[in-house]
mmCIF file of all heavy atoms in Angstrom:
data_model
loop_
_atom_site.group_PDB
_atom_site.id
_atom_site.type_symbol
_atom_site.label_atom_id
_atom_site.label_comp_id
_atom_site.label_asym_id
_atom_site.label_seq_id
_atom_site.Cartn_x
_atom_site.Cartn_y
_atom_site.Cartn_z
ATOM 1 N N GLY A 89 52.782 -44.665 148.533
ATOM 2 C CA GLY A 89 51.768 -45.711 148.610
ATOM 3 C C GLY A 89 51.202 -45.992 149.957
ATOM 4 O O GLY A 89 50.253 -46.793 150.125
ATOM 5 N N VAL A 90 51.738 -45.334 151.062
ATOM 6 C CA VAL A 90 51.261 -45.615 152.413
ATOM 7 C C VAL A 90 51.181 -44.304 153.205
ATOM 8 O O VAL A 90 52.138 -43.540 153.196
ATOM 9 C CB VAL A 90 52.174 -46.626 153.187
ATOM 10 C CG1 VAL A 90 51.631 -46.781 154.600
ATOM 11 C CG2 VAL A 90 52.228 -47.939 152.495
ATOM 12 N N LEU A 91 50.091 -44.061 153.864
ATOM 13 C CA LEU A 91 49.872 -42.904 154.668
ATOM 14 C C LEU A 91 49.644 -43.356 156.108
ATOM 15 O O LEU A 91 49.048 -44.384 156.385
ATOM 16 C CB LEU A 91 48.688 -42.025 154.240
ATOM 17 C CG LEU A 91 48.713 -41.524 152.795
ATOM 18 C CD1 LEU A 91 47.368 -40.743 152.512
ATOM 19 C CD2 LEU A 91 49.877 -40.643 152.502
ATOM 20 N N THR A 92 50.218 -42.558 157.084
ATOM 21 C CA THR A 92 49.970 -42.792 158.440
ATOM 22 C C THR A 92 48.935 -41.759 158.986
ATOM 23 O O THR A 92 49.223 -40.525 158.854
ATOM 24 C CB THR A 92 51.241 -42.662 159.297
ATOM 25 O OG1 THR A 92 52.179 -43.658 158.780
ATOM 26 C CG2 THR A 92 50.958 -42.889 160.760
ATOM 27 N N VAL A 93 47.850 -42.193 159.513
ATOM 28 C CA VAL A 93 46.750 -41.294 159.958
ATOM 29 C C VAL A 93 46.737 -41.318 161.492
ATOM 30 O O VAL A 93 46.756 -42.409 162.140
ATOM 31 C CB VAL A 93 45.385 -41.828 159.400
ATOM 32 C CG1 VAL A 93 44.282 -40.887 159.895
ATOM 33 C CG2 VAL A 93 45.423 -41.921 157.870
ATOM 34 N N ASN A 94 46.633 -40.127 162.062
ATOM 35 C CA ASN A 94 46.560 -39.973 163.501
ATOM 36 C C ASN A 94 45.787 -38.703 163.808
ATOM 37 O O ASN A 94 46.271 -37.635 163.477
ATOM 38 C CB ASN A 94 47.970 -39.908 164.166
ATOM 39 C CG ASN A 94 47.937 -40.149 165.648
ATOM 40 O OD1 ASN A 94 46.885 -39.948 166.267
ATOM 41 N ND2 ASN A 94 49.060 -40.483 166.205
ATOM 42 N N GLY A 95 44.577 -38.855 164.338
ATOM 43 C CA GLY A 95 43.744 -37.664 164.585
ATOM 44 C C GLY A 95 42.687 -37.954 165.649
ATOM 45 O O GLY A 95 42.540 -39.039 166.167
ATOM 46 N N PHE A 96 41.896 -36.905 165.967
ATOM 47 C CA PHE A 96 40.885 -37.006 167.006
ATOM 48 C C PHE A 96 39.831 -35.912 166.655
ATOM 49 O O PHE A 96 40.100 -34.973 165.924
ATOM 50 C CB PHE A 96 41.486 -36.817 168.335
ATOM 51 C CG PHE A 96 42.314 -35.557 168.484
ATOM 52 C CD1 PHE A 96 41.755 -34.318 168.760
ATOM 53 C CD2 PHE A 96 43.713 -35.613 168.266
ATOM 54 C CE1 PHE A 96 42.581 -33.203 168.859
ATOM 55 C CE2 PHE A 96 44.520 -34.480 168.380
ATOM 56 C CZ PHE A 96 43.932 -33.294 168.655
ATOM 57 N N PRO A 97 38.603 -36.078 167.224
ATOM 58 C CA PRO A 97 37.537 -35.136 166.971
ATOM 59 C C PRO A 97 37.835 -33.788 167.641
ATOM 60 O O PRO A 97 38.506 -33.754 168.718
ATOM 61 C CB PRO A 97 36.278 -35.727 167.646
ATOM 62 C CG PRO A 97 36.659 -37.203 167.765
ATOM 63 C CD PRO A 97 38.077 -37.291 167.990
ATOM 64 N N ASP A 98 37.467 -32.675 167.007
ATOM 65 C CA ASP A 98 37.673 -31.334 167.565
ATOM 66 C C ASP A 98 36.819 -31.174 168.815
ATOM 67 O O ASP A 98 37.127 -30.428 169.768
ATOM 68 C CB ASP A 98 37.374 -30.314 166.559
ATOM 69 C CG ASP A 98 38.385 -30.341 165.400
ATOM 70 O OD1 ASP A 98 39.495 -30.780 165.628
ATOM 71 O OD2 ASP A 98 38.028 -29.961 164.272
ATOM 72 N N THR A 99 35.578 -31.755 168.759
ATOM 73 C CA THR A 99 34.669 -31.716 169.942
ATOM 74 C C THR A 99 34.221 -33.110 170.243
ATOM 75 O O THR A 99 34.268 -34.016 169.416
ATOM 76 C CB THR A 99 33.446 -30.792 169.627
ATOM 77 O OG1 THR A 99 32.796 -31.360 168.426
ATOM 78 C CG2 THR A 99 33.878 -29.402 169.345
ATOM 79 N N PRO A 100 33.725 -33.364 171.503
ATOM 80 C CA PRO A 100 33.261 -34.724 171.856
ATOM 81 C C PRO A 100 32.170 -35.246 170.808
ATOM 82 O O PRO A 100 31.222 -34.571 170.607
ATOM 83 C CB PRO A 100 32.674 -34.534 173.223
ATOM 84 C CG PRO A 100 33.411 -33.385 173.831
ATOM 85 C CD PRO A 100 33.667 -32.476 172.640
ATOM 86 N N SER A 101 32.490 -36.329 170.243
ATOM 87 C CA SER A 101 31.584 -36.843 169.207
ATOM 88 C C SER A 101 31.871 -38.373 168.965
ATOM 89 O O SER A 101 32.912 -38.855 169.309
ATOM 90 C CB SER A 101 31.809 -36.067 167.882
ATOM 91 O OG SER A 101 31.021 -36.654 166.815
#
Side-chain angles (χ1 to χ4, degrees):
V90 179
L91 303 180
T92 300
V93 180
N94 196 338
F96 51 85
D98 295 331
T99 58
S101 175

